[in-house]
Amino acid sequence: MRGIVLFSGTTEGRTLSHQLASEGVPVTVCVATEYGRIEQGQAPGITVHTGRMEPDQMAALLAGAALCVDATHPYAARVSANIRSACEAAKVPCLRLLRPASPLPDGALTAASAAEAARLLAGTQGNILLTTGAKELAAFAPLGGQRLIARVLPSHAGLEACEAAGIPAHNIVAMQGPFTRELNEAILRQFSVGYLVTKDGGEAGGFSAKAEAAAAAGVTLVVIRRPADAGLSYQEVLDQCRKAAARWNK
């Protein structure tokens, strides 16, 4: 019996797991990478499973759980679909913890995908700061590495993705966020950026700090919109977890 199984990778997921554990609810937290494991941290009552899983592996891990919470990133559509499939197979209820979408500032451009954002920028001039994550860099490679500035995690995977996209070393900002408005603005000015490409990671993902910095620096914001999804707030999910744990303990 595993209590609550939580697929995490977001600030809300980490906060939820620690809150439940502090209330005596056993939580198994699933993260995809070693970086995610380190970010998750340790606490009594929390078991961390590290590594990507296929739906059948997820279903096996879910066996006997009281509830599953999908607290993965708003853009992790494929992972969320796999989690739902695994929950159906394991006959475990599933909740989606989804942070609210952000209001877009005036003048922001939008795209449905990284590839569409790259096409949107194909006829433009000026440097482009990419804050979309290493997995999306390849879509922007046709724009020319010399005008791309990539902000990625300081990991081998991030640096390798930059190299594969033809982004020179002096255009790589390898840092772990979140970033303040002031630091975002300093980076935009340091690299003479004309366009800032981002996903809508919500307040916890630093979206407003990016938008405010872009406005202050006179930079055009390009937002890759979220996949269609529906979910519950942090408080709603916490309440449902408490109820599930109470039933599980009877």
Side-chain angles (χ1 to χ4, degrees):
M1 300 290 281
R2 297 182 180 277
I4 306 295
V5 175
L6 193 155
F7 289 85
S8 189
T10 60
T11 302
E12 296 91 338
R14 291 189 290 273
T15 302
L16 178 65
S17 66
H18 284 268
Q19 179 61 42
L20 291 171
S22 73
E23 297 178 13
V25 179
V27 185
T28 298
V29 179
C30 302
V31 295
T33 64
E34 181 65 14
Y35 172 79
R37 184 192 66 78
I38 294 170
E39 284 291 285
Q40 167 62 35
Q42 297 179 337
I46 295 177
T47 301
V48 181
H49 180 282
T50 306
R52 292 180 170 83
M53 290 182 283
E54 296 300 321
D56 60 335
Q57 296 171 310
M58 293 178 178
L61 185 143
L62 283 161
L67 183 68
C68 174
V69 176
D70 174 8
T72 58
H73 196 273
Y75 288 80
R78 181 177 178 183
V79 175
S80 288
N82 287 344
I83 293 170
R84 288 193 296 270
S85 175
C87 286
E88 290 175 3
K91 295 181 172 54
V92 172
C94 182
L95 300 178
R96 177 69 164 121
L97 198 172
L98 191 63
R99 64 179 59 154
S102 304
L104 294 184
D106 293 339
L109 305 178
T110 62
S113 65
E116 184 176 314
R119 289 193 294 270
L120 189 67
L121 293 168
T124 63
Q125 300 294 320
N127 291 339
I128 301 166
L129 175 61
L130 302 174
T131 64
T132 56
K135 292 181 180 179
E136 310 288 5
L137 296 182
F140 297 92
L143 299 176
Q146 289 297 329
R147 67 180 297 213
L148 301 178
I149 294 89
R151 192 164 74 193
V152 296
L153 289 172
S155 65
H156 292 297
L159 296 177
E160 288 169 359
C162 289
E163 182 179 8
I167 300 172
H170 59 263
N171 281 6
I172 300 172
V173 181
M175 299 176 66
Q176 177 184 338
F179 302 90
T180 63
R181 182 199 64 76
E182 292 79 8
L183 182 52
N184 280 317
E185 184 179 345
I187 292 172
L188 293 173
R189 296 189 185 280
Q190 173 69 29
F191 289 94
S192 301
V193 171
Y195 297 88
L196 191 166
V197 184
T198 182
K199 294 177 178 177
D200 175 13
E203 187 63 30
F207 181 84
S208 64
K210 294 178 191 177
E212 291 168 8
V219 170
T220 300
L221 191 69
V222 181
V223 182
I224 300 174
R225 298 302 281 165
R226 295 183 182 186
D229 202 355
L232 302 175
S233 69
Y234 174 87
Q235 189 59 51
E236 289 171 327
V237 171
L238 177 58
D239 291 342
Q240 291 296 319
C241 286
R242 286 168 171 164
K243 292 176 182 177
R247 293 192 298 269
W248 179 70
N249 284 324
K250 287 183 179 180

